[in-house]
Amino acid sequence: MIDCLFCKIIKGEVPSEKVYEDEHVFAFKDIYPMAKEHYLFIHKEHSENVNDISRNDPSQLAQIFGAIEAFTKSNKLEESGFRVVSNIGENGGQTVFHTHFHVLGGEKLKGFGA
Ligand code: AMP
Ligand code: ZN
């Protein structure tokens, strides 16, 4: 996908702090962390948002969530708890149009009734 920041991160054309990678999924530290731990999980195949990925190939969602499961189990986030967020479109606050899931944790998170 031309000029997609996260596609460039996957290819290594833009540097990132990688925390997880498998055949289908790539994850790295968010450059502006909103919690003590803040990671972004993305599929290696470009799609624009969660509705786009659901329409085109929902199995990719299972691959992303499988990666989140493996990662959070191995680094204790599963034990302490974490939050998964995906912003969609303008009102959702999406700024990068390559589907991504924020994984937030490492501290007690506020908001969403907490
Ligand atoms: P969103 O606003 O939901 O589209 O999320 C995009 C996220 O990407 C934001 O939390 C940004 O801080 C993060 N971000 C933008 N550029 C980079 C980058 N080069 N490396 C890591 N994270 C980035
Ligand atoms: Zn992309």
Side-chain angles (χ1 to χ4, degrees), residues 54-90:
S54 297
R55 281 191 282 264
N56 292 333
D57 189 353
S59 70
Q60 292 180 1
L61 288 169
Q63 289 165 340
I64 295 170
F65 276 85
I68 291 173
E69 185 274 334
F71 175 74
T72 54
K73 192 169 65 187
S74 70
N75 79 351
K76 306 257 193 288
L77 273 179
E78 183 174 277
E79 251 173 79
S80 53
F82 61 98
R83 182 175 291 158
V84 181
V85 175
S86 190
N87 298 321
I88 297 126
E90 194 181 342

Side-chain angles (χ1 to χ4, degrees), residues 18-73:
K18 180 170 85 172
V19 296
Y20 176 93
E21 185 173 14
D22 65 29
E23 192 186 343
H24 304 290
V25 179
F26 191 91
F28 52 102
K29 289 187 183 175
D30 195 296
I31 205 166
Y32 298 118
M34 303 289 284
K36 278 192 182 141
E37 293 186 58
H38 186 172
Y39 311 108
L40 297 171
F41 279 73
I42 61 180
H43 202 277
K44 288 182 176 176
E45 202 165 299
H46 181 90
S47 61
E48 194 168 315
N49 59 40
V50 289
N51 277 5
D52 190 32
I53 204 171
S54 297
R55 281 191 282 264
N56 292 333
D57 189 353
S59 70
Q60 292 180 1
L61 288 169
Q63 289 165 340
I64 295 170
F65 276 85
I68 291 173
E69 185 274 334
F71 175 74
T72 54
K73 192 169 65 187

